């Protein structure tokens, strides 16, 4: 029988040539990882020998080879015609008698008396899922297959799918000989995820290649909607080292729209085994799996990754009947794990533009061109080299035309959808899950597609100027102090950690509040008494979270812990919120609670706000989040920075208030840093340092307050210069005070990023660290190295 059928438990990775990559991997996991906690549904595979014998019958192989040898795959119409002809030949070909006999006997054994057993029939090519090729979605999968006649039909459809247009094109482009690729069909017990959830996970971050996280996507129903990109799924990041320590390890949660789900077909006589139905709004507004289930998935993913000793791309499903999580496929990740780690590519927009569409960014590149809105695969000839392909969603049939595009934009899909996978492989920017791109963007319209600005991908009107900067970090020269980074956006943390750095010198809490929360904390604390229109807006924001206040705290935890995990174990100095009253007023509900100040820059901000009776309850939410990140999740590399401390008395009060909220200086290695940004801070540095473990100089505010100018005023903007002698005198005073007290001294203002000569002066003054904007790290590093040599 093993010439034709092999059960999964008798397979391993040495059997790729016999049953293809997917089926060999399923066997490998069942044989080696079941006792380690990885659950894989049982089944069996047809062999490559069975496939070749099937094609050899009646000269079918020769006919196929002749047709493919004469084919020009760049002629899309000819490719479609030849592919359709070959697939029809395969479907019309009867099975060899021995294959059909053993297939039926094995299926009856798998049924084990249950004649209604549903199975998945999956393809597994002998050249696929290798470390250097993804073959993403190249061949077919059939779900909820019941009865031997349907199994037989599905296996033949799987065999025919080796000659899909996309599969033919892909093999030619990647140098695989058609004659050397064989197909195996895996017949596997179905996981009843139609009444639960399923998805895809990677054992690295798919955008940056960061290896310390597991990235999980999840949606309701059968998993094909996630694989195909038909839904925008929930997304989660789990930190591997934290999980290994037995601590809460879910870093990020993004609630997907999950508008549809795939379920078993209600029509037993239909040729379609599955149906796609809408998801109820209440279900869309909650995460489809719990943190505990996300954690369980990550544990199984890490076991699989350790066994294979490489990053993995894994499909999973939760059974609605028994509540268990199962692994249904595992393959090597083939894009980010092969990227050159020593070359830093940075795409930078050089112009501002009008944003007309937003979605999830894939990759970090920028592309521009004419929009081509394509509604159907039949119209893909419209796309010319350099165009921006805009469509509802892609599937593997679209690959021949995706290669031509300068960028890809889709209405639907998440970071693990087909369009995302292929865009990464092709190295082109893609923005997925936009919702309305096909309606807003017009055919022929010139646009710029930017994935270089974080988690959100932006489509700008017009063709904007941009540049690519490349630096190598193979041999970074030594410099006499540490360069840290100013990182506010957790979306970019996994990217920025790859730059040479000594940690984060400034993580702005207000960036997290503005981008990830968007609601005034008072509005969340007083949700029940909000005006109806504001309450409805706020309600949409905290979907998926237990309460408005939990939403605020949990989102702060997510942002802070993402930064902490990305740079762990290096220091991440988190600055407490430093919104001015006008900036707080811009948040949802903010105008209900903020004073109207003539000059907010010099008003209700920083330490004064924290210790006030009107804001203290909001400040306590920040403390709760920081305490959870440090004490529960274990990120003691997080340090706390207090901004805009006007008097020594305020310094004492804030330190006491932090201690009251479980953040006592010195406990659990907690260091408290003070922003040195007022002339009073530098002049009375010795007194302020009695309450803190060091200073981080904010050169922006220090400069404007020293020179008596408003940095936002264009009339006097030319006078703003951190290198002014008065400013440098204060800088020197602060640095020397910290040196005398043997305490930390760094700078996190804009000055060193804009002026490498100021960074050189600070280096000569003996500063411990200079915290730079990420886009200036490499250039400043090389400048300082050259200066120190001179």
């Amino acid at each position: 029988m093993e010439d034709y059928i092999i059960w999964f438990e008798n397979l391993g990775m040495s059997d790729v040539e016999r049953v293809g990559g997917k089926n060999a991997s399923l066997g490998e996991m069942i044989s080696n990882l079941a006792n380690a906690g990885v659950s894989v549904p049982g089944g069996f595979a047809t062999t490559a020998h069975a496939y070749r014998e099937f094609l050899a019958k009646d000269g079918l192989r020769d006919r196929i080879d002749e047709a493919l040898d004469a084919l020009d795959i760049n002629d899309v119409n000819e490719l479609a015609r030849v592919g359709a002809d070959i697939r029809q030949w395969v479907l019309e070909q009867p099975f060899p008698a021995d294959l059909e006999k053993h297939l039926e006997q094995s299926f009856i054994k798998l049924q084990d008396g249950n004649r209604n057993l549903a199975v998945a029939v999956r393809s597994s090519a002998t050249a696929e899922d290798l470390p250097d090729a993804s073959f993403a979605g190249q061949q077919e999968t059939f779900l909820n297959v019941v009865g031997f006649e349907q199994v037989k039909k599905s296996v033949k459809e799987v065999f025919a799918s080796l000659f899909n247009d996309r599969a033919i094109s892909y093999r030619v482009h990647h140098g695989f000989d058609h004659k050397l690729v064989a197909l195996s069909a895996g017949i596997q017990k179905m996981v009843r995820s139609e009444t639960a959830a399923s998805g895809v996970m990677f054992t690295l971050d798919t955008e940056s290649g960061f290896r310390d996280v597991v990235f999980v996507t999840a949606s309701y129903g059968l998993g094909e909607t996630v694989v195909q990109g038909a839904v925008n799924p929930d997304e989660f990041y789990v930190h591997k080292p934290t999980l290994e320590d037995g601590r809460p390890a879910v870093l990020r949660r993004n609630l997907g729209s999950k508008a549809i789900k795939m379920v078993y077909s209600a029509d037993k006589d239909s040729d379609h085994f599955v149906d796609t139905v809408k998801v109820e709004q209440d279900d869309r507004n909650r995460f489809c799996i719990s943190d505990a289930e996300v954690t369980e998935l990550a544990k199984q993913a890490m076991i699989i990754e350790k066994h294979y000793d490489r990053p993995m791309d894994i499909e999973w499903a939760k059974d609605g009947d028994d509540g268990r999580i199962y692994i249904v496929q595992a393959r090597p990740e083939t894009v980010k794990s092969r990227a050159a780690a020593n070359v830093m590519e940075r795409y930078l927009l050089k112009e501002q533009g009008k944003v007309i569409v937003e979605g999830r960014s894939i990759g970090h590149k920028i592309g521009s061109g004419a929009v081509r809105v394509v509604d159907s695969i039949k119209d893909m000839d419209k796309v010319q080299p350099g165009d921006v392909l805009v469509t509802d969603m892609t599937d593997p049939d679209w690959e021949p035309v995706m290669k031509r595009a300068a960028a890809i934009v889709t209405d639907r899909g998440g970071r693990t959808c087909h369009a995302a996978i292929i865009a990464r492989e092709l190295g082109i920017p893609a923005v997925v899950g936009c919702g309305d791109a096909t309606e807003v963007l017009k055919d022929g319209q010139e646009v710029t597609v930017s994935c270089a600005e974080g988690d959100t991908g932006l489509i700008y009107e017009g063709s904007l100027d941009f540049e690519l900067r490349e630096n190598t970090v193979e041999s970074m020269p030594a410099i006499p102090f540490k360069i840290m980074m100013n990182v506010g956006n957790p979306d970019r943390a996994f990217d920025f950690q790859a730059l040479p750095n000594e940690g984060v010198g400034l993580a702005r809490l207000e960036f997290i509040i503005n981008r990830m929360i968007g609601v005034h904390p008072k509005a969340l604390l007083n949700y029940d008494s909000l005006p109806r229109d504001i309450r409805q807006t706020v309600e949409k924001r905290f979907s998926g979270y237990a309460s408005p206040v939990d939403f605020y705290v949990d989102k702060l935890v997510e942002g802070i812990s993402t930064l902490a995990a990305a740079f762990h174990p290096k220091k991440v100095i988190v600055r407490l919120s430093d919104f001015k009253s006008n900036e707080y007023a811009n948040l949802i509900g903010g105008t209900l609670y903020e004073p109207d100040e003539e000059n907010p820059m010099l008003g209700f901000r920083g330490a004064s706000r924290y210790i006030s009776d009107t804001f203290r309850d909001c400040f306590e939410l920040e403390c709760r989040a920081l305490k959870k990140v440090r004490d529960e999740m274990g990120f003691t590399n997080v340090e706390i920075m207090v901004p805009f401390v006007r008097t020594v008395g305020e310094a004492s009060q804030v330190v006491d208030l932090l201690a009251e909220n479980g953040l006592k200086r010195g406990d659990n290695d907690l260091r408290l840093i003070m922003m040195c940004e007022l002339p009073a801070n530098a002049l009375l540095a010795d007194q302020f340092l009695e309450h803190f473990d060091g200073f981080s100089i904010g050169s922006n505010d220090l400069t404007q307050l020293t020179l008596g100018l408003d940095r936002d005023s264009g009339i006097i903007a030319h006078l703003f210069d951190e290198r002014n002698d008065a400013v440098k005198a204060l800088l020197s005073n602060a640095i020397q005070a910290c040196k005398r007290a043997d305490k930390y001294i760094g700078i996190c203002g804009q000055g060193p990023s804009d002026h490498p000569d100021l960074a050189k002066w600070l280096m000569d003054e003996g500063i411990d660290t200079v915290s730079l904007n990420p886009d200036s790290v490499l250039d400043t590093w090389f400048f300082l190295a050259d200066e120190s040599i001179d």
Side-chain angles (χ1 to χ4, degrees):
M1 180 182 284
E2 286 210 347
D3 284 345
Y4 299 94
I5 302 291
I6 308 176
W7 289 85
F8 287 156
E9 58 262 33
N10 297 323
L11 291 169
M13 286 312 296
S14 60
D15 295 305
V16 172
E17 286 301 316
R18 300 173 74 194
V19 295
K22 284 192 187 78
N23 288 334
S25 182
L26 289 170
E28 180 77 12
M29 289 188 291
I30 287 175
S31 303
N32 295 284
L33 301 181
N35 292 333
V38 176
S39 300
V40 180
F44 59 88
T46 65
T47 64
H49 167 79
Y51 171 81
R52 292 190 177 102
E53 186 175 293
F54 169 73
L55 287 192
K57 199 169 183 287
D58 302 327
L60 178 56
R61 173 86 263 177
D62 294 336
R63 276 196 291 160
I64 292 172
D65 291 346
E66 185 178 343
L68 291 176
D69 288 344
L71 173 64
D72 175 8
I73 64 160
N74 294 313
D75 184 334
V76 177
N77 293 323
E78 180 69 4
L79 173 62
R81 185 189 64 78
V82 171
D85 286 347
I86 295 174
R87 292 193 297 276
Q88 190 58 39
W89 299 342
V90 173
L91 294 176
E92 291 170 353
Q93 177 89 330
F95 279 134
D98 284 346
L99 172 57
E100 183 161 343
K101 178 183 72 174
H102 292 306
L103 183 62
E104 183 173 19
Q105 289 174 353
S106 299
F107 181 65
I108 291 170
K109 181 179 177 182
L110 185 65
Q111 285 180 310
D112 191 26
N114 177 11
R115 299 188 63 181
N116 293 318
L117 178 75
V119 297
V121 180
R122 304 179 187 278
S123 62
S124 180
T126 56
E128 74 180 342
D129 297 337
L130 304 179
D132 57 352
S134 76
F135 279 71
Q138 290 299 314
Q139 279 78 53
E140 300 293 350
T141 292
F142 298 91
L143 304 176
N144 189 31
V145 181
V146 179
F148 180 63
E149 288 304 313
Q150 293 290 8
V151 168
K152 201 164 60 165
K153 179 180 177 183
S154 299
V155 170
K156 201 172 286 188
E157 292 272 9
V158 162
F159 284 0
S161 71
L162 192 62
F163 303 101
N164 283 329
D165 302 352
R166 74 249 188 174
I168 295 170
S169 172
Y170 191 94
R171 288 195 295 274
V172 171
H173 279 291
H174 287 79
F176 289 94
D177 187 337
H178 299 296
K179 302 180 185 67
L180 299 181
V181 181
L183 208 63
S184 164
I187 292 84
Q188 184 180 34
K189 288 182 180 178
M190 278 290 295
V191 178
R192 289 296 302 269
S193 61
E194 63 147 351
T195 55
S198 55
V200 179
M201 56 183 171
F202 289 82
T203 61
L204 47 58
D205 175 41
T206 53
E207 303 312 304
S208 65
F210 182 56
R211 297 283 292 271
D212 281 354
V213 290
V214 177
F215 175 50
V216 179
T217 65
S219 196
Y220 293 112
L222 305 176
E224 286 302 292
T225 53
V226 178
V227 174
Q228 294 168 0
V231 293
N232 299 335
D234 295 336
E235 297 177 350
F236 308 87
Y237 288 95
V238 183
H239 190 230
K240 294 176 186 175
T242 301
L243 185 60
E244 288 174 331
D245 285 345
R247 294 177 176 271
V250 180
L251 300 177
R252 295 285 297 277
R253 303 164 188 84
N254 292 311
L255 187 71
S257 57
K258 307 181 295 295
I260 58 172
K261 64 179 177 178
M262 188 177 285
V263 298
Y264 290 175
S265 176
D267 184 356
K268 299 297 183 185
D269 299 322
S270 170
D271 286 340
H272 301 287
F273 308 144
V274 293
D275 292 328
T276 300
V277 299
K278 289 184 178 179
V279 175
E280 295 295 328
Q281 190 64 48
D282 285 350
D283 288 333
R284 295 176 61 181
N285 288 344
R286 64 173 66 97
F287 292 107
C288 64
I289 54 175
S290 67
D291 275 11
E293 289 165 337
V294 173
T295 300
E296 172 60 26
L297 282 165
K299 286 178 178 176
Q300 293 202 37
M302 290 168 63
I303 293 168
I304 294 168
E305 179 183 51
K306 185 176 181 181
H307 179 76
Y308 285 95
D309 195 28
R310 59 167 61 102
M312 299 296 288
D313 167 358
I314 300 162
E315 292 180 30
W316 64 271
K318 177 187 173 184
D319 194 301
D321 290 346
D322 65 19
R324 293 180 60 191
I325 287 170
Y326 295 89
I327 304 300
V328 294
Q329 283 191 30
R331 62 181 74 84
E333 193 279 340
T334 59
V335 179
K336 280 298 177 182
S337 54
R338 292 189 293 138
N342 62 335
V343 177
M344 300 293 165
E345 275 192 349
R346 291 173 292 151
Y347 281 77
L348 303 170
L349 270 179
K350 300 181 74 176
E351 298 181 77
Q352 295 294 314
K354 178 184 176 183
V355 176
I356 46 181
V357 176
E358 295 184 3
R360 301 301 302 276
S361 61
I362 304 301
H364 302 104
K365 297 185 177 182
I366 299 174
S368 62
V371 167
R372 292 290 172 247
V373 181
V374 181
D375 297 323
S376 165
I377 192 68
K378 298 174 185 174
D379 301 323
M380 64 182 181
D381 276 351
K382 290 169 54 179
V383 180
Q384 300 302 311
D387 286 347
V388 174
L389 170 62
V390 180
T391 187
D392 178 51
M393 58 179 279
T394 68
D395 63 36
D397 287 325
W398 290 71
E399 285 176 35
V401 71
M402 293 169 78
K403 295 178 174 70
R404 303 176 189 169
I408 299 167
V409 180
T410 70
D411 285 345
R412 293 189 283 165
R415 281 186 161 176
T416 57
C417 73
H418 175 265
I421 292 171
I422 298 305
R424 289 187 200 101
E425 194 166 296
L426 296 174
I428 59 177
V431 179
V432 301
C434 298
D436 58 358
T438 53
E439 298 174 17
V440 175
L441 301 177
K442 305 304 178 188
D443 216 58
Q445 177 182 13
E446 288 288 328
V447 297
T448 300
V449 178
S450 173
C451 296
E453 297 164 78
D455 192 49
T456 302
L458 305 172
I459 292 88
Y460 292 95
E461 193 172 60
S463 182
L464 303 182
D465 189 21
F466 64 90
E467 68 173 320
L468 167 62
R469 293 183 187 172
E470 288 187 323
N471 290 90
T472 177
V473 293
E474 277 185 317
S475 54
M476 295 297 293
I479 52 177
F481 65 86
K482 297 174 181 178
I483 286 188
M484 302 178 84
M485 283 192 285
N486 301 333
V487 182
N489 186 353
D491 296 339
R492 300 300 307 276
F494 299 152
D495 289 318
F496 292 150
Q497 61 80 31
L499 292 167
N501 71 85
E502 288 296 331
V504 176
L506 172 62
R508 299 178 178 90
L509 214 57
E510 59 268 18
F511 192 101
I512 297 170
I513 295 169
N514 197 40
R515 290 288 294 272
M516 296 175 65
I517 298 171
V519 184
H520 196 289
K522 278 285 189 186
L524 294 165
L525 284 162
N526 299 295
Y527 170 73
D528 291 336
S529 61
L530 289 174
R532 183 179 177 185
D533 58 333
I534 298 177
R535 191 166 68 247
Q536 288 175 336
T537 303
V538 171
E539 184 179 15
K540 292 178 184 176
R541 288 277 176 153
F542 70 80
S543 292
Y545 292 82
S547 72
V549 170
D550 285 325
F551 164 68
Y552 189 82
V553 173
D554 288 349
K555 279 298 180 189
L556 286 178
V557 169
E558 289 175 25
I560 297 165
S561 66
T562 298
L563 293 167
F567 291 88
H568 191 269
K570 298 172 187 173
K571 299 294 185 185
V572 174
I573 302 175
V574 176
R575 187 178 72 185
L576 298 165
S577 62
D578 193 26
F579 277 134
K580 291 79 176 172
S581 55
N582 61 325
E583 294 168 333
Y584 262 123
N586 287 332
L587 297 174
I588 296 168
T591 54
L592 299 174
Y593 305 103
E594 289 299 321
D596 185 14
E597 298 184 283
E598 284 292 324
N599 191 346
M601 184 72 74
L602 299 180
F604 191 39
R605 60 178 292 200
S608 299
R609 186 176 275 268
Y610 311 147
I611 62 179
S612 72
D613 292 337
T614 59
F615 194 79
R616 187 171 296 200
D617 53 353
C618 301
F619 179 67
E620 287 171 353
L621 300 184
E622 295 181 29
C623 294
R624 192 193 304 179
L626 282 158
K627 183 172 171 56
K628 182 174 181 179
V629 170
R630 285 182 46 84
D631 295 351
E632 293 182 34
M633 300 182 77
F635 290 116
T636 54
N637 60 322
V638 168
E639 301 186 338
I640 295 175
M641 181 149 66
V642 182
F644 222 76
V645 185
R646 290 180 168 94
T647 68
V648 176
E650 278 193 342
S652 176
Q653 286 180 267
V654 171
V655 170
D656 289 345
L657 187 56
L658 285 165
E660 288 173 23
N661 283 280
L663 295 167
K664 184 178 180 182
R665 179 182 167 201
D667 281 3
N668 204 12
D669 299 323
L670 175 60
R671 285 203 314 180
L672 299 183
I673 309 298
M674 192 188 93
M675 284 283 283
C676 178
E677 53 191 334
L678 292 86
N681 301 151
L683 293 169
L684 300 180
D686 294 328
Q687 295 180 46
F688 280 103
L689 284 170
E690 291 177 12
H691 301 280
F692 292 95
D693 297 297
F695 281 165
S696 182
I697 297 167
S699 58
N700 297 354
D701 275 348
L702 185 62
T703 300
Q704 70 172 344
L705 293 171
T706 301
L707 300 180
L709 54 83
D710 180 352
R711 69 176 190 243
D712 295 329
S713 170
I715 301 171
I716 52 173
H718 62 285
L719 294 172
F720 186 92
D721 191 337
E722 298 92 333
R723 297 167 294 180
N724 179 278
D725 285 343
V727 178
K728 288 170 81 171
L730 291 170
L731 291 173
S732 180
N733 200 57
I735 293 169
Q736 300 315 314
C738 289
K739 289 293 180 185
R740 288 193 300 273
D742 194 25
K743 293 191 174 184
Y744 168 80
I745 178 65
I747 186 168
C748 60
Q750 184 72 23
S753 294
D754 291 342
H755 308 296
D757 58 321
L758 177 61
K760 169 67 166 59
W761 180 84
L762 291 164
M763 180 173 73
D764 293 341
E765 284 287 310
I767 202 163
D768 294 337
T769 69
V770 171
S771 193
L772 302 170
N773 294 335
D775 61 2
S776 63
V777 166
L778 294 176
D779 293 339
T780 305
W781 191 303
F782 285 114
F783 172 85
L784 294 172
D786 291 342
E787 289 292 313
S788 61
I789 291 171
D790 294 342

